[in-house]
Amino acid sequence: MISYARQTSEAQPEASLPPIEEHIAPAPRVSVQAFCESVETAAAVQSAGEDRRLGKAHLKIQMGGMAAAIEAYRSAPTPNVIVLESDGRNDLLNGLDQLATVCDAGTRVVVIGRINDVMLYRELVRRGVSDYVLAPVGAIDVVRSICNLFSAPEAKAVGRIIAVVGAKGGVGASTISHNVAWAIARDLAMDAVVADLDLAFGTAGLDYNQDPPQGIADAVFSPDRVDTAFIDRLLSKCTDHLSLLAAPATLDRVYDFGTDAFDAVFDTLRATMPCIVLDIPHQWSGWTKRALIGADDILIVAAPDLANLRNTKNLFDLLKASRPNDRPPLYCLNQVGIPKRPEIAAAEFAKAIESQPVVSIPFEPQIFGSAANNGQMIAEISANHRSIEMFLQIAQRLTGRSETKKQKSSLLSPLIEKLRGK
């Protein structure tokens, strides 16, 4: 018998891009083999294999459908997941019965078919099929189906990774990322962690007034030790909902990393935290590119000048091409309105990028400088400052969540409080 871990409740009606709020957890390191009957489906599966969420999966595509699958597994072990395309009803059911005789226990099967019939679906469920997707399919349908096989309903939700990067050095990307993370934790009531990836010159520890003895460097240089308990010991608690994985910000070591150096850290954080904010330094290397492409959502921070415009455009083009099934990255303008500095207007910036900035944060050195020197967030310095609402807007766009509703106070509240005190 074929053993399957998950069954879906209904077939997918049509291929469509996911809404902004949809969060598809990445698949683990699994082997996937697809047997397609049409060139269109094969192309969709091939495109799905290039999606970041299937980056760890090993995907192989063959033509020939059910017959090719049965023949292939007569003398070879079956993979973790088999994707089958079939046009007919009887051939599909008979083929599944034959496939069950050559499949290894634990193999999961996804069927792509063209018959929208509840009776057929029930027969597939009875035979242990994990998912039935109605053709024609798009790449995101295949991604969703395979990834959801490994996201059990009772399992804890996989954390959302948000990457924040500056289009140019000195544009305030770290300051924005730290204040946005603060808004996510305080206003959206989400447990979040800030990972400062600028190991040599990171400022997250200074901004949150934290000086932990350990941090992210301990995890990166000891990949064999990385697990949930180890990462928990490295976290520094900033508030009830916000933690910090600080950078050492020292020059006693050289921080040259391989492309996948941070993978174990990110995977462990995903398993324990609903929201992970990556403060990515302004540099271009294999691991920074991998971190950006692998993130669930991206914010680019730019100043309104020509170099920032060029770099933002380059980042947009790269990320849109590398993440065809994700929404485009977001960007905000920062340090807008520096006296006597010629600037590119937000409208011109948006025209070149073909996207509007989330917000335009004005240049206010007094309050931002005071917050940085005091190790505080803007909200701690001035509770009603206009930039706080902008940070919240960014947080809401990145997470897809609205602000938690605060209990409204009435005119009688002060009197009631006095009476309670007596």
Side-chain angles (χ1 to χ4, degrees):
M1 290 295 293
I2 309 175
S3 174
Y4 302 109
R6 174 183 170 272
Q7 296 171 346
T8 57
S9 58
E10 60 182 359
Q12 297 289 345
E14 61 182 24
S16 60
L17 287 175
I20 290 176
E21 293 77 9
E22 182 180 14
H23 176 50
I24 302 174
R29 298 183 188 279
V30 292
S31 56
V32 183
Q33 291 186 9
F35 295 85
C36 305
E37 293 187 346
S38 67
V39 175
E40 293 78 13
T41 298
V45 176
Q46 179 66 42
S47 180
E50 298 168 359
D51 188 275
R52 62 179 178 85
R53 284 157 289 210
L54 293 181
K56 294 181 180 179
H58 180 71
L59 176 64
K60 183 179 179 181
I61 304 172
Q62 294 179 232
M63 302 303 291
M66 180 69 73
I70 296 172
E71 184 62 29
Y73 299 130
R74 291 188 191 280
S75 57
T78 52
N80 301 112
V81 180
I82 300 173
V83 179
L84 291 170
E85 182 183 14
S86 177
D87 291 334
R89 175 191 178 94
N90 293 330
D91 290 344
L92 172 59
L93 297 178
N94 293 334
L96 287 173
D97 291 339
Q98 295 182 55
L99 186 63
T101 64
V102 296
C103 266
D104 301 328
T107 297
R108 308 177 190 194
V109 172
V110 174
V111 174
I112 299 174
R114 300 181 183 277
I115 302 174
N116 191 4
D117 179 26
V118 67
M119 296 304 296
L120 172 62
Y121 177 73
R122 288 174 179 171
E123 281 297 318
L124 295 177
V125 169
R126 191 174 67 82
R127 284 170 166 79
V129 167
S130 301
D131 198 5
Y132 180 69
V133 186
L134 197 61
V137 296
I140 194 63
D141 298 304
V142 180
V143 171
R144 183 189 298 112
S145 181
I146 295 174
C147 290
N148 285 349
L149 295 178
F150 303 94
S151 299
E154 67 275 7
K156 186 175 181 179
V158 177
R160 177 187 295 267
I161 289 184
I162 295 170
V164 182
V165 66
K168 189 170 177 285
V171 297
S174 291
T175 298
I176 301 302
S177 67
H178 303 163
N179 280 275
V180 168
W182 183 274
I184 291 172
R186 187 190 70 165
D187 300 318
L188 305 184
M190 291 179 65
D191 287 331
V193 61
V194 174
D196 191 344
L197 304 185
D198 190 351
L199 272 65
F201 304 106
T203 60
L206 296 174
D207 286 352
Y208 291 121
N209 196 25
Q210 300 285 325
D211 187 21
Q214 295 178 301
I216 193 168
D218 298 273
V220 176
F221 287 112
S222 303
D224 296 338
R225 298 177 59 193
V226 173
D227 57 22
T228 301
F230 183 61
I231 292 295
D232 283 345
R233 290 197 299 271
L234 301 181
L235 292 176
S236 175
K237 199 166 186 64
C238 301
T239 68
D240 288 342
H241 290 289
L242 183 63
S243 299
L244 170 65
L245 197 54
T250 59
L251 302 180
D252 55 344
R253 304 180 76 166
V254 176
Y255 303 111
D256 292 332
F257 300 122
T259 302
D260 58 353
F262 289 88
D263 283 7
V265 178
F266 297 163
D267 290 344
T268 305
L269 288 173
R270 276 189 185 275
T272 57
M273 280 286 180
C275 185
I276 303 101
V277 178
L278 305 182
D279 181 2
I280 298 181
H282 180 73
Q283 64 180 65
W284 198 239
S285 61
W287 70 264
T288 53
K289 179 180 178 181
R290 185 179 179 90
L292 283 172
I293 293 175
D296 296 294
D297 288 284
I298 302 163
L299 175 70
I300 301 169
V301 179
D305 62 31
L306 184 60
N308 277 271
L309 175 57
R310 180 202 64 185
N311 295 351
T312 301
K313 176 65 173 172
N314 287 342
L315 283 169
F316 254 74
D317 292 344
L318 170 79
L319 293 171
K320 288 169 69 175
S322 303
R323 299 155 51 90
N325 303 313
D326 291 89
R327 63 168 171 168
L330 305 177
Y331 77 98
C332 72
L333 295 178
N334 191 33
Q335 302 173 349
V336 175
I338 293 180
K340 299 183 179 180
R341 180 183 72 172
E343 295 183 348
I344 297 176
E348 292 299 318
F349 218 96
K351 183 178 180 181
I353 303 298
E354 298 180 348
S355 176
Q356 293 291 331
V358 184
V359 295
S360 294
I361 303 172
F363 175 68
E364 297 190 62
Q366 181 67 38
I367 184 133
F368 279 84
S370 297
N373 289 335
N374 294 339
Q376 293 178 296
M377 298 292 99
I378 301 299
E380 296 179 288
I381 293 286
S382 176
N384 297 317
H385 193 266
R386 57 179 173 173
S387 64
I388 297 173
E389 183 62 31
M390 297 181 184
F391 296 140
L392 178 57
Q393 289 179 41
I394 297 173
Q396 290 171 328
R397 287 286 301 275
L398 289 171
T399 62
R401 294 198 177 190
S402 59
E403 184 179 7
T404 55
K405 294 182 179 179
K406 299 179 177 63
Q407 187 174 1
K408 294 182 179 180
S409 59
S410 66
L411 295 175
L412 297 177
S413 294
L415 179 58
I416 294 173
E417 290 298 323
K418 288 182 180 180
L419 294 174
R420 285 177 177 172
K422 291 183 178 180

